[in-house]
Amino acid sequence: MDDLLLARSLFGTTMAFHIIYATIGVELPLMILAAELLYQKTKDQDYVVMAKRWTKAFAVLLGVGIPTGTIAGVQLSLLWPGFMEE
């Protein structure tokens, strides 16, 4: 396997993880908001527990999603410099 194919395979793997983390990271704050609003309406403690657990998961997603996005940007500029032209 030549170096370019190996590097592009690594980029594909990075993007696969990043897309999953980014998609979940966009939706999770809306789910947290919904749980908080349902708690305000019903005063059911289960919604507070859900919101707190989802907040911890969101912190982990940010901790993984931001570096994968940065790495993907660097890989994109190195492997496909034509995309980065003005």
Side-chain angles (χ1 to χ4, degrees):
M1 186 179 289
D2 66 329
D3 293 338
L4 184 61
L5 183 60
L6 186 61
R8 288 186 176 177
S9 299
L10 180 62
F11 175 71
T13 304
T14 302
M15 283 306 296
F17 280 103
H18 179 68
I19 287 171
I20 292 168
Y21 294 138
T23 303
I24 296 171
V26 167
E27 182 59 31
L28 202 53
L30 296 174
M31 292 171 56
I32 295 168
L33 176 65
E36 291 285 347
L37 290 175
L38 285 170
Y39 168 71
Q40 292 297 322
K41 185 176 181 180
T42 64
K43 301 298 183 197
D44 185 359
Q45 290 295 320
D46 291 338
Y47 292 119
V48 173
V49 172
M50 274 195 305
K52 286 183 180 181
R53 287 181 184 167
W54 288 343
T55 302
K56 291 176 186 175
F58 183 65
V60 171
L61 280 173
L62 281 179
V64 175
I66 291 172
T68 59
T70 304
I71 291 168
V74 171
Q75 288 177 341
L76 183 65
S77 66
L78 292 174
L79 296 173
W80 288 283
F83 286 134
M84 305 305 279
E85 292 177 359
E86 288 184 42

